[in-house]
Amino acid sequence: MKLRRLAPLLLLTLFGCDTPQRGRAPNTFVNGTTLQNFGGVGGPGFTSSTTGGTLVPTTDTTTTTNTVTSQPGFQNCDLGDRFSTVDIGLFGICQSTVEETSFLFRTATAQTSVRTCLIPTYKDSIGSSTYIGNPQCALTAANQIVSGRLYKDRPGFSGYTLNGVIVMKEPLLPEYIGCMQGYTNWPVNLCPSGPTTAYCANWIPRCPYGARTNAFCDAEAKGYMRTICESFKTKYPNGYVDIRTR
């Protein structure tokens, strides 16, 4: 069976992040159910793109569909159909036990027209996730095992443990990133023309440094972000999965 490697995502556009929590995951992993954690909100933005990375083929002749025993760190890997979304279908994913950035991924059906994206996260003890790196995206054949790394390349978050992943189709990334960007881009997103509305005339002078100006700006920005993220969760309840991998 061919093994393919996920290349790094092209870096094009500035974003900031924290993740929505809900997905459809028929498994025993601990999954978040609400937007509970704004860990790192207001931190530096990150460079990302919805165009994703590319596949670089390699060869591995010892892999099987559900268990991978040929690679250190994946001896007990289960790539069976433990997860699903409405547009990806059933899939399996494993994280290496010796190298936290190394992952294996398999889809039960071919994903040849729209790429599937894996987003690295830190998942805390109550199931809340914090986005710590750029999405890595790939096309896959049915039962093809994809190998690659998920990078902890969000500025300021390299020290976080990578113990989770969010999986979704590439077309969902813009709205997902809009959710994650809500805090860092407030009030700019709501006031692109400046203080031309009553809302903007009230907040722009009071928050010259955005959400981090003071406690009132912080609370308003968090409320704005929460609204966007809840909208994403409502719109795509079965469109993504938030998985604890360790």
Side-chain angles (χ1 to χ4, degrees):
M1 180 176 293
K2 286 187 176 181
L3 187 70
R4 293 178 179 263
R5 186 169 303 277
L6 287 169
L9 190 65
L10 296 177
L11 305 180
L12 297 177
T13 311
L14 187 67
F15 296 114
C17 71
D18 282 291
T19 61
Q21 296 290 301
R22 197 163 163 238
R24 175 181 164 195
N27 57 78
T28 58
F29 280 82
V30 177
N31 292 289
T33 55
T34 61
L35 188 66
Q36 303 169 69
N37 182 16
F38 286 92
V41 166
F46 66 93
T47 305
S48 183
S49 169
T50 57
T51 59
T54 57
L55 289 172
V56 179
T58 60
T59 301
D60 188 307
T61 59
T62 59
T63 56
T64 62
T65 298
N66 294 329
T67 305
V68 177
T69 59
S70 62
Q71 298 185 44
F74 292 104
Q75 289 88 345
N76 297 314
C77 173
D78 181 2
L79 287 173
D81 297 332
R82 297 186 296 146
F83 309 96
S84 72
T85 75
V86 67
D87 46 6
I88 299 171
L90 294 167
F91 66 90
I93 189 168
C94 288
Q95 181 180 20
S96 169
T97 58
V98 297
E99 171 48 64
E100 68 172 351
T101 65
S102 184
F103 283 77
L104 295 178
F105 178 66
R106 180 196 67 85
T107 58
T109 58
Q111 309 292 315
T112 56
S113 59
V114 180
R115 291 191 299 184
T116 301
C117 298
L118 312 181
I119 306 168
T121 66
Y122 163 70
K123 207 161 181 59
D124 67 20
S125 60
I126 62 173
S128 297
S129 295
T130 298
Y131 180 97
I132 60 175
N134 291 301
Q136 300 294 313
C137 305
L139 296 174
T140 60
N143 293 317
Q144 174 192 42
I145 297 175
V146 175
S147 148
R149 292 190 181 277
L150 299 183
Y151 301 96
K152 300 194 294 183
D153 53 3
R154 180 185 175 190
F157 288 79
S158 61
Y160 278 55
T161 299
L162 200 174
N163 62 358
V165 62
I166 290 180
V167 183
M168 67 178 66
K169 279 292 194 178
E170 191 171 10
L172 272 64
L173 283 180
E175 289 181 72
Y176 170 78
I177 290 173
C179 153
M180 296 185 294
Q181 189 180 355
Y183 183 95
T184 55
N185 276 3
W186 181 91
V188 176
N189 281 2
L190 284 173
C191 307
S193 301
T196 57
T197 66
Y199 180 90
C200 297
N202 177 68
W203 286 106
I204 288 179
R206 289 168 171 76
C207 305
Y209 305 107
R212 290 199 248 177
T213 302
N214 54 51
F216 297 104
C217 302
D218 174 81
E220 184 69 15
K222 285 181 177 177
Y224 170 64
M225 178 181 175
R226 186 176 291 107
T227 297
I228 297 175
C229 293
E230 291 297 334
S231 175
F232 179 90
K233 289 160 56 180
T234 299
K235 187 175 181 180
Y236 303 109
N238 298 318
Y240 67 102
V241 182
D242 185 357
I243 304 165
R244 182 186 293 276
T245 54
R246 280 191 176 184

